[in-house]
Amino acid sequence: GAVVSQHPSWVICKSGTSVKIECRSLDFQATTMFWYRQFPKQSLMLMATSNEGSKATYEQGVEKDKFLINHASLTLSTLTVTSAHPEDSSFYICSARLAGSYNEQFFGPGTRLTVL
Amino acid sequence: GNSVTQMEGPVTLSEEAFLTINCTYTATGYPSLFWYVQYPGEGLQLLLKATKADDKGSNKGFEATYRKETTSFHLEKGSVQVSDSAVYFCALSDASGGSYIPTFGRGTSLIVHP
C-alpha cells in the first residue's frame, strides 16, 4: 500500500514550452502533497506544499508563477513548469502524506526534466 | 530551525563489511526521525523510522536508534551487499509551525564492491 506514482517519468522539451507533471496517490487519500527538486548528487529542495482544495505554499525563492501547482483532488497534484528554460532541467520528486498522518510521506519515483 | 547533518560520502565498502552512516540533528521540538534510500534514477523509499527517544527502527538488516541525549540517528548494517549501493538520506519531521514539513540531510552515497 501507500504507492505514489508520477507521470511522465522523463520528459525532454524545447525552451519556452510548458511541461506538466502529475503526482498521484494510488491507494490512499493525500490531503497534502509536496514537490521537491533535486540537483545531481544533492539533497531534495522543497519547492512547495500542496493542500487539496487550496493554494500551494511556496518556499522562499521559488517562483509561483513559473511553477504552477494544482491539487484538485485527494489523489492528484500537478506541477506545471511554465516557459521552461535549460536551468529548469532537474529531477522533480513529489511526495504525499496520508490523510490524518503527520509524520510520514510516501515518495513518487521522480520525473527527469530536460529542457533543450 | 531544524537541521540534519550527515557524514559526507561516498562511503566505499567491500561486500559483507559493516556499515555506519552518521546522522545528527537539531530540532526545536520532539521530532520523528527517518532514513530514506534512493537508488539511481528513482525516488526515495522509506527505509526505517523512529518516533520517540530510544526507539529502534529496523528494516532489511538496517538499524538506527533514536538517541535524544546525543541527538543522533546513525544508520548501521552488519553485512552490506552490492545491492545496497544507493544514496541514503536522514530526515526529521516535527510540528514546527504546525506543518510537519520534513527536513532532509544532504545524503550519503554508499558504494559496495563485490
Side-chain angles (χ1 to χ4, degrees):
Chain A
V3 178
V4 176
S5 70
Q6 279 184 245
H7 179 80
S9 55
W10 59 269
V11 56
I12 301 172
C13 68
K14 292 182 179 179
S15 187
T17 60
S18 294
V19 175
K20 179 186 283 189
I21 302 170
E22 293 186 348
C23 176
R24 293 182 185 271
S25 56
L26 297 185
D27 50 1
F28 66 101
Q29 293 186 332
T31 51
T32 304
M33 290 184 172
F34 301 90
W35 286 96
Y36 296 87
R37 184 172 179 178
Q38 186 181 31
F39 293 99
K41 299 186 179 181
Q42 294 191 26
S43 190
L44 283 71
M45 182 191 80
L46 180 65
M47 299 174 67
T49 302
S50 168
N51 292 300
E52 185 265 338
S54 63
K55 290 183 179 180
T57 303
Y58 290 81
E59 295 299 300
Q60 194 171 11
V62 178
E63 299 176 59
K64 62 180 181 181
D65 294 330
K66 178 155 187 71
F67 299 99
L68 300 179
I69 291 172
N70 185 288
H71 192 159
S73 78
L74 286 171
T75 59
L76 173 65
S77 176
T78 59
L79 168 67
T80 301
V81 183
T82 62
S83 187
H85 290 283
E87 58 266 28
D88 299 323
S89 299
S90 192
F91 195 52
Y92 292 88
I93 303 175
C94 75
S95 69
R97 193 157 68 192
L98 207 60
S101 166
Y102 295 99
N103 274 341
E104 189 168 348
Q105 298 177 62
F106 300 94
F107 286 82
T111 297
R112 172 73 59 194
L113 170 63
T114 302
V115 184
L116 302 176
Chain B
N2 295 341
S3 68
V4 175
T5 303
Q6 289 180 237
M7 62 188 291
E8 287 197 25
V11 173
T12 304
L13 296 172
S14 297
E15 207 165 22
E16 299 184 1
F18 184 87
L19 168 71
T20 300
I21 300 178
N22 290 338
C23 171
T24 57
Y25 67 90
T26 304
T28 52
Y30 296 94
S32 294
L33 302 174
F34 306 85
W35 276 102
Y36 289 89
V37 58
Q38 184 179 33
Y39 297 101
E42 299 183 12
L44 273 66
Q45 300 174 30
L46 178 65
L47 181 60
L48 54 84
K49 67 178 181 180
T51 58
K52 61 183 188 297
D54 299 325
D55 269 2
K56 177 187 283 188
S58 61
N59 185 26
K60 299 180 181 178
F62 291 90
E63 293 183 341
T65 301
Y66 189 144
R67 300 286 187 202
K68 189 166 181 288
E69 64 276 13
T70 55
T71 61
S72 65
F73 193 54
H74 304 322
L75 182 68
E76 296 182 337
K77 186 174 185 182
S79 176
V80 293
Q81 305 299 312
V82 173
S83 57
D84 294 326
S85 299
V87 180
Y88 292 81
F89 291 92
C90 185
L92 70 82
S93 175
D94 75 357
S96 297
S99 60
Y100 288 93
I101 292 176
T103 302
F104 287 88
R106 294 179 60 86
T108 302
S109 175
L110 170 64
I111 301 169
V112 181
H113 294 295

